[in-house]
Amino acid sequence: MSAAIQDEFSFEMRVYIEDTDAGGIVYYVNYLKFMERARTELLREKGFNKPAIMEEGMLMVVASVNVDYKKSAKLDDELVVTAKIIKYARSYLVFEQRVICGTNCLAEGQIKVACVDKETLRPCAFPPRITKLLN
């Protein structure tokens, strides 16, 4: 099973001092945190409850990340972080994401998130109820 989902989700946030280095520039790894928040909120909006999948003995883990950093965000910037599922398969999702400030794309990337067995950490299929939510 493989498909593309067209809905793009947007998550608004502000850059706080904890997100920046001594010069007031967002530290590169924090873009990944911003993207994580947007993915989580997108799934929550679709009715996906992360703790529920853990109760079923599964986890969602980042399998790969490919991010292009284009411009820097700065302290107090208002950002929009997008998340769009561009592919889903039996045991993973691929998200396309962007971090935007005004009309500038600051970073964009693709993140692959896999469903794994909680004990063995081996890939496993998403539960059918989750697959329904993604359709």
Side-chain angles (χ1 to χ4, degrees):
M1 169 183 67
S2 178
I5 299 175
Q6 300 303 316
D7 300 339
E8 184 172 66
F9 176 82
S10 295
F11 178 74
E12 295 180 8
M13 60 169 294
R14 183 178 299 277
V15 175
Y16 295 110
I17 197 158
E18 67 192 29
D19 302 317
T20 67
D21 61 16
I25 303 297
V26 171
Y27 185 60
Y28 79 96
V29 76
N30 287 334
Y31 292 92
L32 296 176
K33 292 179 182 181
F34 301 161
M35 290 177 178
E36 173 77 24
R37 291 175 196 163
R39 288 193 308 275
T40 298
E41 293 303 324
L42 166 63
L43 293 174
R44 180 175 285 132
E45 184 178 85
K46 289 186 171 294
F48 184 91
N49 182 350
K50 276 191 166 181
I53 198 166
M54 289 189 290
E55 291 167 4
E56 293 184 34
M58 299 171 200
L59 300 171
M60 289 182 65
V61 298
V62 173
S64 66
V65 173
N66 183 7
V67 176
D68 291 322
Y69 299 97
K70 299 176 179 301
K71 293 186 177 210
S72 298
K74 297 174 185 66
L75 179 63
D76 213 35
D77 279 351
E78 292 181 15
L79 305 178
V80 174
V81 186
T82 66
K84 178 179 175 181
I85 300 170
I86 59 170
K87 181 177 183 181
Y88 71 87
R90 186 175 164 268
S91 63
Y92 68 88
L93 301 171
V94 178
F95 293 85
E96 182 176 84
Q97 296 195 254
R98 294 180 296 141
V99 178
I100 301 163
C101 184
T103 59
N104 295 310
C105 179
L106 307 180
E108 62 185 356
Q110 287 191 355
I111 293 84
K112 181 179 180 181
V113 178
C115 183
V116 298
D117 180 273
K118 188 175 176 181
E119 298 300 321
T120 66
L121 300 180
R122 296 180 61 95
C124 62
F126 284 106
R129 65 177 183 75
I130 299 299
T131 304
K132 275 185 179 180
L133 294 173
L134 296 173
N135 287 321

